[in-house]
Amino acid sequence: MFKKLLLYFFIPSAVFIMTIKIYYSQEVKEQKVYHVMDQIKLSFDAQLKTDKMDDLKVALLLASNTALIDSLDEDDEDRAYKLLSSIVKSVKKHTNISIRAQIITKDLNILARSWDDIYAGMPLGDYREDLQYFKNTKQPRTSLEIGRRLGIKATVPVYKNGVFLGLVEVISFFQNTTEFLSSIGVDLYVLLDIKYSDSAVLMRDNLSIKDYIISNLTYNYNNIQTLKKIDFKKLAQLQLIYKDKKYIFYDTMYDGAMQAIGKFVFVLPQKYIGYFRNPEDDISYLINVTHSSLYKVLKEQESQENFYNQYQASKLIAFKNVISPEDKQEFYDAAYQKFDTLSKDELIQMILHKRITKKIDGKIR
């Protein structure tokens, strides 16, 4: 009789405890996902601002170049193109940074572009309404603008003896931001509202997802089918959707006039959530970003063929989650070659050390 009473009491209690445990576990998991989402958005905002400022720095330097100013003043298309092209090539050679720049006359026509010399004289006023901003101000501006293609545009007015001559503009297409997010396991999709396709004529052949055109030049095609299943109105309501073992969330995209023109959509595979660890432990997130930044800096400093050779196999492991997609095969080939040179005992010690490190990291507060 006593055993029956004990079972009668124990079973409901056990079920209750398990229910509470499962509920608590789900709550913790949900908090973690939202924490990671917030951290990714903050990192995205910071990186996008960095890209804008980098473009603006170059535009300001170009706008102060005396030879370029004289070419604009004299309406010398050939000289402007040669100068602009030479400067951009020099930037690429010495910094490994690829930029596009153009000079615009006061009548809003192209004087010269760094990447070709066939569109000199082409009017921009019809589809670059944002340029009207400079009729009333001398202040430079960096913003997302829709021209023939959506991009980050750092625009600086050029004056000579107080007379407005035109504009110098540096243009980029989210390449650095896309690569940065990819290095921490997040895929970015810059989605322009399709209603702007009449202006963005060079994007009409871009892949579209429902009512949006993909605007970044590089992206992970593996998530396209998942995004096509998403109800974007529902995404706007819920802020976060889980689909195909991936977390999808977004930020609204605004142009320089603070007009909503589309969305920045982020896709984070569930398998990478564990990499960010606990909401209260920001150090794991910072380690992820630090590894990414370190890899980027080292890769720029060293030639590609020598980059991996200078690190031991145990050190290469630190980079395995931040290698850019196009470099992964080369990374794996180099890593496997190094692993092949290790003895069985060395491999065991490396694995044990990795496990111990993970255990210690989990207790840091």
Side-chain angles (χ1 to χ4, degrees), residues 188-223:
L188 172 67
Y189 299 85
V190 182
L191 303 184
L192 177 68
D193 195 309
I194 203 166
K195 68 183 180 182
Y196 296 106
S197 60
D198 287 344
S199 296
V201 293
L202 293 182
M203 294 172 53
R204 289 176 182 173
D205 292 332
N206 285 24
L207 189 66
S208 62
I209 300 175
K210 297 188 177 180
D211 294 329
Y212 297 93
I213 304 170
I214 299 179
S215 304
N216 41 334
L217 299 180
T218 58
Y219 55 86
N220 187 349
Y221 190 82
N222 293 333
N223 297 314

Side-chain angles (χ1 to χ4, degrees), residues 4 59 97 119 126 135 163 188 201 217 251 267:
K4 288 183 178 179
I97 297 173
Y119 285 99
D126 290 343
K135 285 188 173 182
V163 178
L188 172 67
V201 293
L217 299 180
D251 259 354
V267 179

